[in-house]
Structures are given as structure tokens and as C-alpha cells.
């Protein structure tokens, strides 16, 4: 089922909030870098877009207004691209290797007292994010050091 763009952006924002921003996960998953870059782009790009329009129109004249708007729109689209990628990634099913790691991690957490059910029907990256978040929040430091 195809989702709308705004729905996918909203899913991306929720996924970014859910993903545990831990340094241990940075080499394993692209989410860490994408979320950091998207957060930076959300902060910086609107300012850069306005500055670009102001500088080009001020110094080059109103003849360059269409080019200035085009560049500003490009800068404003960068955070949306990150959120769209995150939204699509959140809904992507885990590949077989990641799925086996997900189930193994869940079973080890359950053996240590974790009280959540495993998503049985084709887990997605959003389910993995929730499991990792619970691991870092609810499990002891020795358990997390053993796995990362």
C-alpha cells in the first residue's frame, strides 16, 4: 500500500524519536547518521534558505529572484528527504540476517526478564527500534555491553 508523502514524513519523525541514539549502534545502522543529519538540516536549512534569497536578491538584483527561490527550495527540501528516508526505512521489513538477530536478541532479553511479545508477522525496522530502545532503557549495563 502506498502512503502519502505527509504520512511518510510523519512516520519518519516518529521513527527518529523512537530510534535509540546510541554510539554503539552508529557503525551498524545508517539511522544514527541520517537522524543526526536530518536534525541538523531542520535547524540550519531554513536559515540558509532565507540567507540565500536575501544575499542573491540584494547583491545581484531582482533578476536573480527565480534562481534564489530555486536554491532556497532545494535547501528546504533536504530535511524532508531525510524524513522521507526514515519513514520508508521504518516500514521496511527486516532482511533475513537482521530478522534472525532480532529474534535472537529478543529471546536473550526475555531470558533476562523482558516482558514484551515478539512481533511474529514480518517485523519491520520500527519494531527493531522499539526493541533496541527497550534494551538500552530496561536492561542492565552488563547485558548491553555483552551485545555491543
Amino acid at each position: 500500500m502506498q502512503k502519502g508523502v505527509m504520512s511518510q514524513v510523519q512516520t519518519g519523525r516518529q521513527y527518529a524519536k523512537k530510534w535509540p541514539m546510541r554510539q554503539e549502534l552508529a557503525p551498524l545502522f545508517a539511522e544514527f547518521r541520517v537522524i543526526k543529519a536530518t536534525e541538523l538540516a531542520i535547524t540550519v536549512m531554513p536559515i540558509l534558505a532565507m540567507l540565500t534569497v536575501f544575499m542573491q536578491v540584494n547583491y545581484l538584483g531582482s533578476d536573480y529572484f527565480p534562481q534564489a527561490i530555486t536554491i532556497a527550495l532545494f535547501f528546504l527540501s533536504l530535511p524532508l528527504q531525510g524524513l522521507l528516508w526514515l519513514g520508508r526505512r521504518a516500514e521496511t521489513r527486516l532482511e533475513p540476517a537482521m530478522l534472525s538477530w532480532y529474534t535472537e536478541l529478543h529471546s536473550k532479553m526475555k531470558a533476562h526478564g523482558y516482558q514484551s511479545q515478539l512481533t511474529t508477522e514480518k517485523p519491520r525496522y520500527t519494531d527493531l527500534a522499539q526493541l533496541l530502545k527497550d534494551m538500552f532503557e530496561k536492561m542492565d549495563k552488563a547485558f548491553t555491553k555483552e551485545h555491543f
Side-chain angles (χ1 to χ4, degrees):
M1 183 170 86
Q2 196 74 349
K3 293 177 84 171
V5 173
M6 291 310 294
S7 175
Q8 196 168 1
V9 167
Q10 185 63 28
T11 303
R13 287 191 69 83
Q14 292 168 353
Y15 183 59
K17 290 177 185 175
K18 188 184 288 188
W19 186 262
M21 294 300 289
R22 301 288 301 237
Q23 202 63 33
E24 301 95 308
L25 299 175
L28 301 173
F29 299 99
E31 279 83 352
F32 184 84
R33 293 180 299 276
V34 172
I35 291 170
K36 285 285 191 187
T38 302
E39 287 173 352
L40 179 66
I42 287 171
T43 305
V44 173
M45 289 303 159
I47 297 167
L48 193 57
M50 289 188 311
L51 186 64
T52 299
V53 170
F54 173 75
M55 295 295 279
Q56 286 188 7
V57 170
N58 193 30
Y59 290 110
L60 300 175
S62 61
D63 292 341
Y64 289 89
F65 188 71
Q67 291 89 337
I69 293 297
T70 303
I71 293 170
L73 288 174
F74 169 73
F75 286 151
L76 292 174
S77 76
L78 292 176
L80 287 174
Q81 292 176 36
L83 291 172
L84 285 170
W85 186 90
L86 288 167
R88 186 168 181 95
R89 177 72 166 211
E91 296 300 320
T92 302
R93 291 188 178 129
L94 297 175
E95 53 269 359
M98 190 63 66
L99 178 61
S100 66
W101 184 74
Y102 171 81
T103 55
E104 178 186 335
L105 182 62
H106 185 270
S107 63
K108 288 181 181 179
M109 287 173 64
K110 197 163 188 131
H112 283 84
Y114 182 62
Q115 298 293 328
S116 179
Q117 290 295 328
L118 181 67
T119 305
T120 56
E121 57 179 73
K122 300 180 183 178
R124 302 176 188 279
Y125 273 91
T126 190
D127 301 320
L128 176 64
Q130 187 61 50
L131 184 71
L132 290 171
K133 185 176 182 178
D134 288 348
M135 183 186 76
F136 284 113
E137 289 177 357
K138 297 177 181 175
M139 304 305 284
D140 60 351
K141 301 253 189 246
F143 182 84
T144 56
K145 279 191 177 186
E146 178 184 323
H147 290 74
F148 291 102

